Amino acid sequence: MSTSPFDLTGALALVTGSSRGIGNALAAGLAQAGATVVLHGRDPYALEAQREDFAGRYGEDRIWAVPFDITDESSVVDAMDSIESRIGPLDILVNNAGVQHRVPLVDLALEDWSRVLATNLTAAFLVGREAARHMVQRGHGKIVNIGSVQCDLARPTIGAYTAAKGGLRNLTRAMAAEWAQHGLQVNAVAPGYIHTEMTQPLVDDEAFNAWICGRTPAARWGTVEDLTGPVTWLASPASAFVNGQTIFVDGGMTAVV
């Protein structure tokens, strides 16, 4: 039997937005640490394909998939109740799902502002609240919110995203303030610029790539593997006295001017 404080064997984890990208890598990291993982996405076909892939790697009995709309309250409530009753008590929640919309603030439609905040901030509240209802009763649980360097910094044309991620940092603190006394640890990871399939066009942009590498003390883009360790740590018993914190995983970008 493992005595490692990073071992997640026997724990049940839900990662929102895990059918692709960063969320998919985070789910894989938790599975590699021993957790049973619930994958999530809105497209049931893409989600099932990922479930089959994960099941082949980690075992059919350790991988589940639950599609639901994280911005719809009734959908969230039903999905979380279903996970608890059908799969088991949830030990770990990673609020990863998000959306971006690039347009100057003066041209930003209210509909798009609302959509970005609903997906990146309000959804973390909704899913986190429903997870916490069960975790508080059991006296333990881990919630990891996935933020961004935009928790602390701003760039032109992503005002709604910046506002949402800044709000997520303080939502993390608010959750810890209320739920730490019940045995929960609620923290956030704030990635820097991560090289993924979705950011490949930015990597291919010579000027932008040069700016990233010059602005980041580590002189490179981050990888999804750079994120799995910190998230697994925050999901594990090793971080039992860490609460309300935002851990920047950005190669030093936010530490320098």
Side-chain angles (χ1 to χ4, degrees):
M1 182 176 180
S2 174
T3 58
S4 169
F6 301 96
D7 183 26
L8 297 179
T9 300
L12 178 63
L14 165 65
V15 183
T16 66
S18 49
S19 62
R20 62 176 183 167
I22 289 174
N24 192 262
L26 299 181
L30 296 177
Q32 288 167 13
T36 296
V37 174
V38 180
L39 300 173
H40 161 266
R42 293 189 64 175
D43 181 343
Y45 300 104
L47 189 60
E48 177 57 22
Q50 287 304 308
R51 190 204 65 78
E52 291 178 359
D53 176 64
F54 271 55
R57 285 188 276 166
Y58 307 112
E60 189 75 30
D61 60 331
R62 289 181 50 212
I63 305 299
W64 300 75
V66 179
F68 62 95
D69 182 354
I70 58 171
T71 67
D72 180 78
E73 183 175 20
S74 61
S75 179
V76 170
V77 172
D78 290 346
M80 299 302 283
D81 286 346
S82 175
I83 290 170
E84 289 275 337
S85 62
R86 195 165 55 91
I87 304 173
L90 190 65
D91 302 292
I92 300 160
L93 166 65
V94 180
N95 276 315
N96 164 78
V99 67
Q100 181 63 279
H101 186 78
R102 299 179 184 275
V103 67
L105 280 171
V106 293
D107 299 320
L108 181 60
L110 178 59
E111 177 183 1
D112 291 321
W113 165 273
S114 299
R115 177 174 58 89
V116 172
L117 263 69
T119 305
N120 291 285
L121 179 58
T122 305
F125 157 69
L126 287 174
V127 183
R129 182 189 67 184
E130 294 312 306
R133 290 190 197 278
H134 299 281
M135 292 175 173
V136 164
Q137 292 178 357
R138 291 190 287 264
H140 66 88
K142 298 275 192 172
I143 297 176
V144 183
N145 296 321
I146 304 301
S148 163
V149 289
Q150 268 69 48
C151 285
D152 220 29
L153 303 176
R155 278 183 57 79
T157 75
I158 56 170
Y161 183 85
T162 301
K165 292 301 186 180
L168 186 63
R169 185 176 191 180
N170 264 353
L171 176 62
T172 300
R173 290 168 168 151
M175 288 175 166
E178 294 196 17
W179 300 336
Q181 63 184 311
H182 300 291
L184 277 64
Q185 288 89 53
V186 187
N187 295 286
V189 167
Y193 285 83
I194 306 299
H195 187 176
T196 67
E197 182 179 339
M198 289 185 289
T199 59
Q200 186 63 50
L202 297 176
V203 176
D204 294 336
D205 183 323
E206 289 187 13
F208 192 83
N209 183 63
W211 179 81
I212 289 293
C213 293
R215 178 69 177 78
T216 306
R220 67 172 177 86
W221 288 71
T223 67
V224 291
E225 290 76 19
D226 291 322
L227 300 174
T228 56
V231 170
T232 300
W233 167 59
L234 290 175
S236 76
S239 59
F241 202 53
V242 181
N243 237 321
Q245 302 304 305
T246 295
I247 311 299
F248 285 82
V249 185
D250 62 0
M253 175 177 277
T254 55
V256 299
V257 294

